[in-house]
Amino acid sequence: MDIKQLKFLIALEETRHFGQAAARCHITQPTLSMRLRSLEEELGLPLVNRGQRFEGFTAPGERVLAWARTVLAAYDGLQAEAAACRGNLVGTLRLGVVPLSDFDPLSMMQRLHTDHPSLRFELSSLSSERILEQLANNRIDLGISYLERLDNDRFEALPFSHTRMGLLYDQRFFFFGEEPLTWEALVELPLGMLTSGMHFRQSIDHSFHSRGLAPQPLLQTDAVHQLLQAVHGGLCCAVVPLESGLNVLTEDLRIQPIESAQTLVPLGLIMRRGAPRSALAEACFALYQKSTTIS
C-alpha cells in the first residue's frame, strides 16, 4: 500500500467516474483500476462496486475511505509541518465559507500568499452544517461560519461582529434615495433570497416575521451567483451583508442600509481542536488573531 493508491481512491470518490479520476491523477484508466484492485487484494476487501461504470463504494469501502482521508490529511500535514519548521508554508489551505458572508477571505489569502508564494488555496461555499462536518472529517482546514451551537470541545473559534444587512439593487431599475430602508418598505419589493434553512435567510425571515410581515420572494436560490445575476438583470432586489462589497461588482449595483438589520448569530473563523490539524490552518488562524488584536 502506498499514498498514491489512497489518492486514487479519494479521486474516485470525488469524481464518481473512473476515467475522470484517472485524468485527475494524471494516469490511464487501466492503471487506476489495476492499482485499486491491488489495494483491494492487500486489504482482502472489495472496496468498489463495478459494473459497466462506477456504481459506488461497498460498505467496507466507505469505511476505508474515511481512513484514507485521515491518512492523506496526516501526510499533507507532515509535509506542511516540515516546511513550517523551515520557515515556509506549502500545500493547499482548504477553506469553507457560508454563502453571503461579509468576511473577505481574499485579503487573508493575499497576505498569506505574499509571505508564502508556494501556498495554494481551495475555497468552497458550504452551509454551516457542512462546514462543521467537513472540519470534523478533516476535509477542510478552516471554516467561516455561524457560531450557533458550536461545540467548543471540538472546535476553536475567533468570533466576528454581527453582520449588518443592506438591500442590493441595480440603480438602472430601482431608486431608493439616501435614507435607510425599513423592513415594511422591503416587503413590497420583488425580493430574491437564499433558500430556507440557510442561516442568513433565517435572519432575514426573523426580521420580517418579528414585525408581523410576510414577504413573498420572487426568487429563491441556493446559489449566490444566480441571485446576483437576477439583481443585475433587474428581476429583483436582495438583502445581503452591508459590508459584502457586492456593490462593486458592476458600476450599477448599489447597497442601501436597512434599519435595525443584523444577523441573529455572529460569524467566526473556526478550526478543529483535535489532531491532525494542519500547520496551514494554524498559521492562518494566528494571522487573523494577530490582525484583530492589533486593530
Side-chain angles (χ1 to χ4, degrees), residues 47-69:
L47 304 178
V48 181
N49 292 317
R50 295 175 174 86
Q52 293 292 333
R53 58 182 62 86
F54 174 75
E55 296 181 355
F57 292 93
T58 63
E62 294 286 353
R63 299 180 66 175
V64 169
L65 265 171
W67 279 101
R69 287 193 293 268

Side-chain angles (χ1 to χ4, degrees), residues 12 30 55 113 118 130 156 158 166 170 177 190 199 204 212-213 218 250 280:
L12 183 59
E55 296 181 355
H113 183 62
S118 297
R130 289 284 291 163
E156 186 173 353
L158 292 174
D170 190 303
H199 274 76
I204 297 173
L213 304 172
L218 177 62
T250 77
L280 303 184

Side-chain angles (χ1 to χ4, degrees), residues 41-246:
E41 291 172 3
E42 181 173 348
L43 295 175
L45 291 169
L47 304 178
V48 181
N49 292 317
R50 295 175 174 86
Q52 293 292 333
R53 58 182 62 86
F54 174 75
E55 296 181 355
F57 292 93
T58 63
E62 294 286 353
R63 299 180 66 175
V64 169
L65 265 171
W67 279 101
R69 287 193 293 268
T70 299
V71 170
L72 278 180
Y75 175 80
D76 292 340
L78 173 62
Q79 297 287 346
E81 194 69 37
C85 291
R86 298 192 300 270
N88 300 317
L89 290 178
V90 300
T92 300
L93 178 70
R94 303 163 300 170
L95 185 64
V97 184
V98 291
L100 289 185
S101 164
D102 67 346
F103 178 81
D104 180 13
L106 296 181
S107 60
M108 183 170 61
M109 291 189 291
Q110 286 169 341
R111 291 175 63 183
L112 283 167
H113 183 62
T114 298
D115 294 337
H116 307 282
S118 297
L119 194 57
R120 298 291 180 266
F121 304 94
E122 184 178 300
L123 192 60
S124 302
S125 177
L126 302 167
S127 68
S128 54
E129 291 78 10
R130 289 284 291 163
I131 284 175
L132 294 182
E133 175 187 320
Q134 294 202 15
L135 280 170
N137 294 333
N138 206 24
R139 301 184 71 170
I140 59 175
D141 301 304
L142 291 171
I144 296 171
S145 182
Y146 296 95
L147 302 183
E148 184 181 26
R149 296 188 295 273
L150 186 70
D151 186 345
N152 293 314
D153 292 331
R154 300 175 65 196
F155 303 105
E156 186 173 353
L158 292 174
F160 310 151
S161 59
H162 282 266
T163 300
R164 293 186 300 156
M165 296 187 283
L167 185 74
L168 181 70
Y169 65 96
D170 190 303
Q171 65 174 351
R172 295 173 299 173
F173 306 99
F174 299 93
F175 177 76
F176 299 108
E178 301 296 330
E179 295 299 317
L181 297 168
T182 65
W183 290 100
E184 287 77 9
L186 263 59
V187 78
E188 303 296 331
L189 297 174
L191 292 176
M193 295 186 184
L194 294 177
T195 50
S196 299
M198 293 188 175
H199 274 76
F200 193 78
R201 169 66 185 274
Q202 291 172 6
S203 294
I204 297 173
D205 287 345
H206 174 79
S207 295
F208 278 119
H209 297 160
S210 64
R211 293 168 173 82
L213 304 172
Q216 300 295 323
L218 177 62
L219 169 69
Q220 299 185 75
T221 177
D222 61 359
V224 174
H225 75 276
Q226 291 179 339
L227 190 61
L228 295 179
Q229 287 176 334
V231 172
H232 186 248
L235 177 67
C236 59
C237 306
V239 179
V240 301
L242 187 62
E243 306 298 331
S244 62
L246 295 174

Side-chain angles (χ1 to χ4, degrees), residues 8 18-19 22 27-38:
F8 298 160
F18 286 106
I27 58 174
T28 64
Q29 183 171 331
T31 299
L32 178 85
S33 296
M34 179 187 68
R35 296 300 304 277
L36 291 181
R37 286 191 184 279
S38 176

